[in-house]
Amino acid sequence: MRSILIIFLLLSTYAFSAKVIEQRWQKGETFSEYLADKGIPQSILEKVDEGDSQFFNEIHAGQKFYELVDEQGNILQTLIAINSEMQIQLYRDPKSKEFEFDIIPIEFDTKEYFGKVQVTSILYNDIVEQLGHKMLAARVSYALKKAFNARNFKVGDEVAFYYSQDTRMGTFYGAPHIKSIMIKNRGKEKFISIDEETGRGYDGIHMLEPYTVTSKQKVHYTIGGGKFALPLKYIRITSPFSLRRWHPVLKRYRPHHGVDFGAKRGTPIMAIGDGRVIYAGWMRGYGNVVKIDHGAGVVSLYAHQSKIKAKKGAFVKSGEVIGYVGNTGISSGPHLHLGIYKNRKPVNPMNMISRDSKGKSVLKSIVKYEDVEEVFYKKVLIPNAKENKAKLLEMLKSKESSYVWKDMQEPPKKEDAGNS
Ligand SMILES: [Zn+2]
């Protein structure tokens, strides 16, 4: 239970009598309802500045979070992740007994491991049985999908790999990252390099990277697959996306789940893609907001508008004006805050917007659409492929896997968490 003690370091005076409970956020539950339910005074909301309250809107139904409770079941601390790196912390000050609010980094351990399995049937099953880690089995199988024909495996073959795994609160935190794989197939060794960005494996240390060539007719209108259009005619980024931004003045973390574009008040804001308006109204911290569902789990959010034009429930087209730039909510001057969420997780909008998209061209009504894009492939070196292979070669000197995950299959039991 060492990891739990590290997480709850702030409350070390409690740690021995308290226990950690894993919870799931209830459907439709608001932050203030949660406080009421747990007997935490609503006055804590006065300590939350409005800019931070925007994160309350992003807690979703079914989301896992953690509570530290004393023997009587009173809340001592609550930790709710707002992205992969930061979390909301509510805690009762041991001295004053007052509840405090903060946004703090998520602590997790990252360790590197060596895995080695004997092939007896299907590789996936062999990894699950020999190493006790289903996600690891899935990731290794995925990495090998295109790089090695599984039908060529023979009983007695060996598969060894080097990977990293994050752990938090005594259990897995996210999926493992496979770095390099060695297959000993019918006595012959073969090395597979992994592109860590996609998790795909390649025979050798190179991969084919697609790139597009667009001809002169730049009327770009595709959506989905990272091809969204710009939300303003002219863009000037005043504040970039960040999961973990240190605010030098406030001396604390303040993640930024979007990109800020500086623009004059009243500048038309355009939908970045076709979709359905799922929200049009006021949101604490964000002021006047429009949210558009683009399908495939992608939602865009346009904040601080002076005036909203789009109607909830309406379908909008890419480039359609949905509102106007303003300064509502927590904002130091007129700007558009654009947030993009993929499966409810904030992602960097600049990675979702097509480089070819020009606000100007999307504003025009497009009479005829012609696909003028061509995809080519070039051979590139997989990042860290050589280093990872060298590390795997070093690890291969040991005969056994460095860790078997049998005790990590389930989250810590409620009764014994926190007691050590
Ligand atoms: Zn912003």
Side-chain angles (χ1 to χ4, degrees), residues 241-282:
F241 175 87
S242 170
L243 290 178
R244 183 178 178 143
R245 178 172 59 173
W246 179 254
H247 199 294
V249 179
L250 297 173
K251 295 231 184 301
R252 49 184 298 254
Y253 287 101
R254 167 76 66 83
H256 189 224
H257 286 175
V259 177
D260 290 348
F261 299 111
K264 273 190 201 144
R265 190 189 141 94
T267 306
I269 301 167
M270 302 174 288
I272 59 165
D274 296 356
R276 193 169 65 89
V277 178
I278 53 169
Y279 190 90
W282 189 266

Side-chain angles (χ1 to χ4, degrees), residues 54 239 245 256-260 286 304 335-338:
Q54 69 193 43
S239 178
R245 178 172 59 173
H256 189 224
H257 286 175
V259 177
D260 290 348
Y286 279 151
H304 311 304
H335 75 281
L336 168 67
H337 168 100
L338 173 71

Side-chain angles (χ1 to χ4, degrees), residues 29-257:
E29 187 177 18
T30 64
F31 196 73
S32 138
E33 281 163 1
Y34 173 78
L35 296 177
D37 186 42
K38 298 294 170 182
I40 302 171
Q42 298 285 327
S43 57
I44 190 174
L45 289 172
E46 289 158 23
K47 296 176 187 171
V48 180
D49 76 57
E50 229 194 304
D52 286 342
S53 63
Q54 69 193 43
F55 299 116
F56 299 157
N57 304 318
E58 296 176 2
I59 307 171
H60 58 258
Q63 182 177 326
K64 242 192 233 174
F65 66 100
Y66 297 94
E67 289 173 346
L68 180 75
V69 298
D70 67 13
E71 281 158 332
Q72 285 76 45
N74 299 313
I75 293 276
L76 302 173
Q77 186 185 32
T78 298
L79 294 170
I80 308 166
I82 57 169
N83 62 43
S84 57
E85 302 205 6
M86 302 297 297
Q87 59 193 341
I88 289 169
Q89 174 182 244
L90 284 173
Y91 69 99
R92 197 173 76 176
D93 188 292
K95 282 189 192 118
S96 69
K97 308 283 183 210
E98 288 245 342
F99 277 90
E100 300 293 339
F101 171 93
D102 209 352
I103 289 177
I104 60 167
I106 292 174
E107 301 289 338
F108 53 84
D109 274 348
T110 304
K111 279 198 189 117
E112 290 176 345
Y113 299 93
F114 170 62
K116 189 176 183 179
V117 295
Q118 305 289 328
V119 177
T120 66
S121 61
I122 295 165
L123 181 63
Y124 177 91
N125 296 343
D126 289 329
I127 297 175
V128 173
E129 271 159 36
Q130 295 170 43
L131 295 180
H133 194 329
K134 281 183 185 168
M135 274 192 287
L136 183 62
R139 287 295 164 116
V140 172
S141 305
Y142 180 77
L144 292 181
K145 217 170 174 181
K146 293 252 168 78
F148 185 81
N149 187 343
R151 267 176 283 177
N152 290 337
F153 273 128
K154 264 197 95 162
V155 173
D157 279 357
E158 262 175 28
V159 177
F161 36 87
Y162 152 46
Y163 65 101
S164 72
Q165 173 70 56
D166 299 337
T167 59
R168 179 184 180 220
M169 316 292 259
T171 189
F172 302 131
Y173 187 61
H177 300 279
I178 316 297
K179 312 271 189 181
S180 188
I181 303 177
M182 189 279 293
I183 299 172
K184 203 173 193 175
N185 177 231
R186 301 163 197 245
K188 266 194 191 161
E189 282 185 2
K190 186 195 259 299
F191 283 87
I192 306 294
S193 305
I194 319 296
D195 172 23
E196 283 189 59
E197 216 165 276
T198 60
R200 276 194 205 114
Y202 297 85
D203 192 348
I205 55 171
H206 292 95
M207 63 176 169
L208 291 174
E209 197 178 70
Y211 65 102
T212 50
V213 172
T214 314
S215 77
K216 275 175 195 161
Q217 295 165 269
K218 265 194 184 167
V219 192
H220 206 96
Y221 209 86
T222 349
I223 70 150
K227 297 257 170 123
F228 288 99
L230 292 169
L232 298 171
K233 198 168 171 183
Y234 300 104
I235 61 156
R236 177 171 57 93
I237 296 175
T238 51
S239 178
F241 175 87
S242 170
L243 290 178
R244 183 178 178 143
R245 178 172 59 173
W246 179 254
H247 199 294
V249 179
L250 297 173
K251 295 231 184 301
R252 49 184 298 254
Y253 287 101
R254 167 76 66 83
H256 189 224
H257 286 175

